[in-house]
Amino acid sequence: MSLNKEAVELSGIVNRLLDNLSLSITSQTGREGVELRHKIGNIRSNYVSMISDKTFPTELLSCFQTALTANVKLPGLFGVHNGLFKEVPIGEISAAVVQMGILFCLSIESRIIIKIEFISRDDVEIMMNRMRDVFDIARVLAADAPDTTSYQRLTILAGNLISFLSDTARPLPRMVTFNLPIFFPSLTLSQRIYYTAERADEIVDENKIIHPAFCLREIRGLSA
Amino acid sequence: MSQISDIRNPWRNILLGEQASFRGIMFHVESGGRSSGRRTVVHEYPKRNDPYAEDMGRIARRFQFSGYLVYRPGNPMYEYTSQRKQLYEALEEDDVATLVHPVFAPGGMQAMCERFSMVESRERGGYTQFEMQFVEAGTAVSAFGVSNNTSANVKISADKAEETGKGLMPDDTEN
């Protein structure tokens, strides 16, 4: 194997990975977002020499870690791992880059998820199902590699993440549907459902109500 | 002239080995006690002489101390009035803390002050008595009987995944 033989394939994989990571940077990422752009640019320019002197994994991980501190949102990183899942690397170095990208991306996504403050059990369950599917694909890809360490690490990380989400979901209220006999304003609804008028805005937001004086007769809300 | 504390024997060595304290605030001990045992449910059956005492686990360990602080000019260990304030504040403060007693909690143990009373009397000026009851802190358990920090587990496994990722690059990557 050599870098020269894989140059075209590797260039495509690295650039697509960095393109997807760049797309995760938004106007809300602030100064760290600038730093992330700088690091992405640095890898894009020097990835060949970085692979030769074995600093590429550290530089790529540093990129993902900066994405974490820059408060990059999960959908942005979903784009990164989805892009990597679509890659079909042939060369050994390219395969390693794809696999390490997946590991780094899912690791950072897990770190983001444990910081999220979930409001309802449904939100957690949606996240759990989504991440279960993501890890299933990642594990299938890792299972094809001759070294099983990645597969094992992904399995353990997936298990711990699902365990965390299960624990998080347990004390949270469920989303339920309330069927009301007549149309009520959000303040009345909040009082009737939660015995406080303070949660009227929550009902309006959840049900995409245009005017709070006229709520739908069938509304969704937290059970408690 | 020798003092009684100069007579060395094993039990006195233990008593003199550690200073009683709670949350790092020392106090003298007049008397101390420890209580515990087993939680039992005694089943007594009709028409049968033999009962059955079911073991439901250990009773939480409780410690009772009759302690005091005394005024002495130039006391090297504490200043009487401020120490008294520090001690009752330590007893009232949130959460568990370390209780040290040479006999009942040697080396210190995590305990919580359940209740205390502070008594000062006219006849005993410069002397404040503290009646304190502590209970062992134990460990918190979830409803499933297992205490598990799941977010820490995610962080640890994420660290390991990243380490593995860093080692994936083939050794031979020459041009």
Side-chain angles (χ1 to χ4, degrees), chain A residues 5 49 166 196-197:
Chain A
K5 278 186 187 169
S49 59
S166 307
T196 172

Side-chain angles (χ1 to χ4, degrees), chain A residues 1 54 107 111 153 160, chain B residues 157 159 162 164 171-173:
Chain A
M1 117 214 56
K54 313 256 187 294
S107 152
R111 289 179 195 275
R153 294 293 180 220
N160 284 331
Chain B
S157 44
D159 285 342
E162 286 164 7
T164 304
D171 292 333
D172 181 19
T173 52

Side-chain angles (χ1 to χ4, degrees), chain B residues 49-71:
Chain B
N49 290 333
D50 197 21
Y52 166 54
E54 188 180 354
D55 189 355
M56 305 297 280
R58 180 170 60 74
I59 295 174
R61 292 175 186 131
R62 285 186 162 75
F63 302 90
Q64 304 84 34
F65 295 107
S66 185
Y68 63 92
L69 294 172
V70 66
Y71 171 76

Side-chain angles (χ1 to χ4, degrees), chain A residues 15 34 38 56 62 69 94 147 155 163 165 172 204 210 220:
Chain A
N15 281 309
V34 176
H38 176 76
F56 180 79
S62 171
T69 53
S94 306
D147 181 12
T155 306
S163 168
L165 289 170
L172 292 176
V204 170
I210 295 162
R220 274 172 62 78

Side-chain angles (χ1 to χ4, degrees), chain B residues 136-157:
Chain B
E136 66 173 319
T139 47
V141 290
S142 72
F144 296 94
V146 179
S147 177
N148 203 357
N149 187 346
T150 48
S151 65
N153 288 345
V154 173
K155 281 181 194 165
I156 292 165
S157 44

Side-chain angles (χ1 to χ4, degrees), chain A residues 180 182-190 193 200-205 207-220:
Chain A
L180 301 148
I182 54 169
F183 296 98
F184 287 113
S186 60
L187 281 168
T188 313
L189 279 176
S190 176
I193 297 168
D201 290 342
E202 180 187 310
I203 293 172
V204 170
D205 293 342
N207 293 278
K208 314 273 184 295
I209 287 162
I210 295 162
H211 195 293
F214 305 99
C215 293
L216 301 169
R217 279 176 58 192
E218 187 181 292
I219 63 156
R220 274 172 62 78

